[in-house]
Amino acid sequence: MGDPSSRRRAFLHRTIGSPTVFAITYASVAGGLYLLLGPIAGNALGATPFVMAAAAVLFGLAVMTYTEGAALHPEKAGSPTFARHAFDEVWSFIAAWALLLDSVLLTAGAVLAATNYLEVVWHETSDGKTEIALAAIILLFVTVRAIRGGTGGPATRVARLAIIVAVDLLLQLLVVVLGFALLKDPGSLTNGLDLGTSPDWQGVLFGLGAAMVVVTGLESASGLAGEVSIGRRELRRLVTSLPIVMFVVFVGISFVGLMALPVQDGHTALGDRWVDAPVIGIIDRLSDSTAIDVLKVVVGVAAATTLGGMALASLSSAGRISAQLARHRQLPTRLGRLHPKFGTPWLVIAAAGVVAMVLVSFRDMDALVGTMAFGAMTAVTIAHVSIIRLRFAEPEAVRDYRVPFNVRFRGAAVPLPAVLGAVLSALVWVSIVVSHPAARAVGLIWMAIGIVAYVAYRRSHHLPVRGRVLVPDAALRREEKPVEYGSILVPVLGTALDDDLIQTAGRLAGGDDETDLEEGYAVIEAVWIHVLPMSLPIDGPLPDAQRAEAKAALARARAVGEEYDGVRVATSAVRARSYGRAIVDEAERRGCQAIIMVAPPPTGRSKSGRAGAALGARGGRGEALGATARYVVDHARCQVILGAPSLAETEEVMRRRREAVAGPDDDGGLTAEDEAWLEQL
């Protein structure tokens, strides 16, 4: 931290607050309104305002889920990370593969919509050939920018994004206010509305799924969890404000849109003539004044700018997702190879840009949005289910935010909003698959190809299909580096030894020290293991003091580990019958490249009282490893690094382990390996 650039990086990483997270998330909401209103209105017709209101509620449920997941596991992947920790690599791959499809489709849809919004400035874009040529220019620019990475530092990019979001929000609210003031026919809102017939339920559910494409902003924002500096009160305020703003803007715009372009004979111009630029269609009907013409140009330019930024973010997201897939050996590492200068997965970004251009050439916004909804609802459903599963798998893990309204079930607090979100998202997904031919064909074929390729790749390389495997960033960059690890498991004990172990892990972790928020980090998996005797149920309640001790130790581990640049600390508490077996199992489940743990106590006293002699130093006597360490060394599939404590430190560790297993006043109930270690002591 002595280097000035390092201090600047640390300052930036710790000062991303709730306004920045709001801006990143609302950017997708603002772009989504420009992009999605037309296809939604074309399917939901007179029920569009109600669909938008329901979408805001679903979005609110997703915000709560993603906030808890990002607070629990602050890694740069969103729903794939949640699924990885809750289930296994297969479900993580399914979520990431669906998001990769969404990223390419969203890039194509945003570019296509941007060309239509620019028609207010350059009327020649209404010609098909000119539109395709302009789309190709925009896509080329976006692809080059995505490969080169962002320009300017993090603070500059955040400030630029905040300005764009503020302008969009003000313009969208202005359109709502002017619409209610200038359009005098509120009765047109109910024209032809016969829910179940016009629109039918399939159209309503399609609109609901299409509106949820804005959840891509949550995927992006959840990756910033390791850099944000937000208190619990600010988190709750953020969780509340995002869906409220979406509700006001989306519902307001849809009301004004139906007043300006009402449903007639089962159709609305919002979904026909103005499907690619619906907000311009609304403004066009406000009045014939010069001021409205100026507003139309301003909104057109602002919308095109926002959509261009959305295309850039989506294409960059495709690169990040592919890099994560390659890093976890879910795709061949060659596909995730990073550019030697820019550090971006340029092969995937370039290929995604080409595919997006092919999709733009079809000029079918309804098909694009329908297939986007398929991918978005897949990821959201997996995210909800993962958060529910993590309440059982990691009940004692530190969570800066917890989804409210919980009920106790089998010893865990089950979040009802996540349950409701999972059920509704799955229902919408099924409806999209049943009712939308493009989504059904493209989505299911894409997922089938991905799953088959994933299983074949893992098996051909003799890798576990469900197990976690991690490739260091240096390997993707083809760099020669000293021994470093992308993921290290550290079992913490609640003693002074924890700081030494975490600091050792921080020095060995393979962080890349990049300031760009889109880069990955090495992860230290700090784990507290509750060892329970067979006489107690594995999912039974734990003493409050024991839970508090685990929480404090994990919080301390996170604070110490994140002092190191390029390192993020993921904390969790697990329950097990055997301490050594739990360490091995957790390291394998998390795909860790190394385990750093306390060495056994010294079998023979040296003058220093250290365990060096027992680990093989000259003059050592007896068994070099205790039962727990021996089990880990023999069974772990990764490198095991042992720290050597003094005898006094070992006595403190064993006192705490005895209390954790059998209680402070009970000497019984220890496992065989614990007894063996105590006998050595």
Side-chain angles (χ1 to χ4, degrees):
M1 296 296 290
D3 176 60
S5 63
S6 297
R7 288 196 295 269
R8 285 194 297 271
R9 287 196 295 268
F11 175 77
L12 286 170
H13 288 329
R14 290 195 296 265
T15 54
I16 295 178
S18 55
T20 301
V21 178
F22 179 90
I24 291 171
T25 307
Y26 189 76
S28 67
V29 175
L33 182 62
Y34 293 129
L35 173 66
L36 303 170
L37 178 59
I40 292 173
N43 285 272
L45 301 176
T48 299
F50 307 103
V51 168
M52 293 297 200
V57 173
L58 269 182
F59 183 72
L61 298 177
V63 169
M64 289 188 281
T65 284
Y66 276 82
T67 302
E68 176 171 326
L72 179 61
H73 292 292
E75 302 167 28
K76 295 181 176 299
S79 56
T81 292
F82 309 158
R84 174 171 293 113
H85 289 278
F87 298 105
D88 53 37
E89 289 296 282
V90 174
W91 286 105
S92 175
F93 174 81
I94 291 173
W97 194 244
L99 289 173
L100 184 60
L101 173 65
D102 252 24
S103 297
V104 177
L105 294 169
L106 194 54
T107 301
V111 169
L112 181 60
T115 60
N116 284 273
Y117 276 98
L118 287 176
E119 187 178 339
V120 298
V121 179
W122 188 21
H123 296 290
E124 284 76 7
T125 59
S126 58
D127 175 67
K129 294 182 179 179
T130 305
E131 181 183 18
I132 296 300
L134 179 59
I137 294 172
I138 295 174
L139 260 175
L140 179 62
F141 172 76
V142 166
T143 302
V144 172
R145 279 288 305 275
I147 292 175
R148 293 178 60 87
T151 58
T156 302
R157 292 196 298 275
V158 167
R160 189 186 305 148
L161 177 64
I163 292 172
I164 293 174
V165 167
V167 170
D168 279 326
L169 183 57
L170 290 175
L171 287 175
Q172 290 168 359
L173 291 175
L174 179 61
V175 171
V176 173
V177 172
L178 290 176
F180 281 113
L182 300 177
L183 299 173
K184 304 297 185 181
D185 187 15
S188 61
L189 293 171
T190 58
N191 283 352
L193 179 59
D194 183 10
L195 195 58
T197 302
S198 178
D200 57 22
W201 287 109
Q202 290 182 349
V204 171
L205 291 175
F206 170 84
L208 190 57
M212 285 300 292
V213 171
V214 299
V215 82
T216 53
L218 295 178
E219 293 283 348
S220 300
S222 64
L224 295 176
E227 290 81 33
V228 298
S229 177
I230 303 177
R232 294 190 177 187
R233 180 177 299 178
E234 288 179 299
L235 272 177
R236 289 193 292 268
R237 188 181 302 121
L238 188 66
V239 168
T240 304
S241 62
L242 278 167
I244 288 177
V245 172
M246 179 179 173
F247 181 90
V248 171
V249 175
F250 271 48
V251 174
I253 286 282
S254 58
F255 268 124
V256 170
L258 289 180
M259 291 169 63
L261 301 164
V263 177
Q264 296 178 347
D265 299 325
H267 298 278
T268 171
L270 277 176
D272 295 333
R273 162 70 179 86
W274 298 101
V275 65
D276 296 331
V279 180
I280 297 298
I282 295 172
I283 300 174
D284 188 64
R285 296 297 298 270
L286 293 180
S287 75
D288 295 328
S289 66
T290 303
I292 294 299
D293 290 338
V294 172
L295 177 62
K296 192 188 302 183
V297 173
V298 172
V299 170
V301 173
T305 302
T306 300
L307 290 165
M310 176 180 275
L312 174 60
S314 300
L315 204 56
S316 300
S317 178
R320 286 196 302 273
I321 292 168
S322 63
Q324 285 291 325
L325 289 170
R327 192 165 185 258
H328 289 275
R329 296 295 296 273
Q330 295 168 312
L331 282 180
T333 52
R334 291 182 180 179
L335 296 179
R337 190 74 67 192
L338 303 181
H339 193 282
K341 180 178 180 180
F342 305 118
T344 55
W346 62 280
L347 285 174
V348 173
I349 292 175
V354 172
V355 174
M357 188 64 240
V358 173
L359 295 174
V360 167
S361 66
F362 289 102
R363 301 172 65 191
D364 189 345
M365 184 65 77
D366 188 75
L368 287 174
V369 171
T371 315
M372 284 182 220
F374 174 95
M377 300 316 297
T378 300
V380 172
T381 303
I382 291 176
H384 283 306
V385 176
S386 297
I387 293 304
I388 298 169
R389 176 72 179 88
L390 285 170
R391 289 293 187 91
F392 292 91
E394 301 177 9
E396 308 300 329
V398 178
R399 291 170 169 85
D400 290 334
Y401 174 83
R402 295 175 67 92
V403 177
F405 308 113
N406 298 274
V407 295
R408 302 295 301 184
F409 180 74
R410 293 187 177 181
V414 178
L416 292 180
V419 174
L420 179 61
V423 172
L424 293 178
S425 299
L427 177 64
V428 174
W429 183 88
V430 170
S431 174
I432 291 170
V433 171
V434 170
S435 63
H436 202 281
R440 180 172 60 252
V442 177
L444 293 180
I445 291 174
W446 171 265
M447 298 306 298
I449 291 173
I451 293 172
V452 170
Y454 167 79
V455 173
Y457 171 70
R458 281 285 180 112
R459 288 184 173 175
S460 66
H461 287 74
H462 307 290
L463 299 173
V465 173
R466 302 177 63 182
R468 295 169 67 177
V469 183
L470 199 63
V471 176
D473 287 341
L476 296 180
R477 293 173 181 269
R478 288 183 173 176
E479 296 177 356
E480 295 293 333
K481 288 192 172 185
V483 176
E484 292 178 341
Y485 303 97
S487 180
I488 301 175
L489 181 78
V490 181
V492 296
L493 302 163
T495 70
L497 292 173
D498 291 349
D499 287 4
D500 292 338
L501 297 177
I502 295 294
Q503 287 166 358
T504 301
R507 290 191 293 270
L508 293 176
D512 54 20
D513 293 336
E514 295 288 343
T515 61
D516 189 75
L517 298 180
E518 298 176 359
E519 291 294 319
Y521 295 88
V523 177
I524 297 175
E525 301 273 3
V527 179
W528 178 281
I529 300 174
H530 295 287
V531 182
L532 302 176
M534 294 300 295
S535 58
L536 296 178
I538 196 68
D539 58 351
L542 294 172
D544 291 341
Q546 189 172 334
R547 296 172 57 188
E549 183 181 21
K551 184 175 181 180
L554 292 171
R556 172 66 181 174
R558 174 175 288 178
V560 172
E562 294 190 350
E563 289 294 324
Y564 292 85
D565 281 345
V567 173
R568 291 293 169 262
V569 180
T571 60
S572 60
V574 300
R575 305 181 186 206
R577 301 296 187 189
S578 166
Y579 192 75
R581 186 174 302 165
I583 293 173
V584 173
D585 290 346
E586 288 300 311
E588 183 174 353
R589 187 174 74 88
R590 299 164 189 268
C592 295
Q593 296 171 294
I595 298 171
I596 298 180
M597 60 178 291
V598 176
T603 58
R605 265 280 187 165
S606 65
K607 292 181 180 180
S608 63
R610 303 294 292 184
L615 293 176
R618 185 174 298 174
R621 301 191 305 274
E623 164 62 27
L625 298 178
T628 298
R630 169 58 64 190
Y631 182 90
V632 175
V633 170
D634 288 344
H635 294 84
R637 297 187 178 182
C638 59
Q639 187 163 355
V640 180
I641 302 170
L642 301 177
S646 67
L647 186 60
E649 291 171 329
T650 303
E651 290 172 348
E652 172 65 12
V653 170
M654 287 309 303
R655 182 187 67 80
R656 290 178 176 271
R657 287 192 62 196
R658 180 184 291 279
E659 291 183 359
V661 175
D665 301 322
D666 185 1
D667 290 335
L670 295 177
T671 62
E673 61 188 53
D674 288 325
E675 292 288 0
W677 203 359
L678 282 171
E679 287 173 7
Q680 282 194 351
L681 180 60

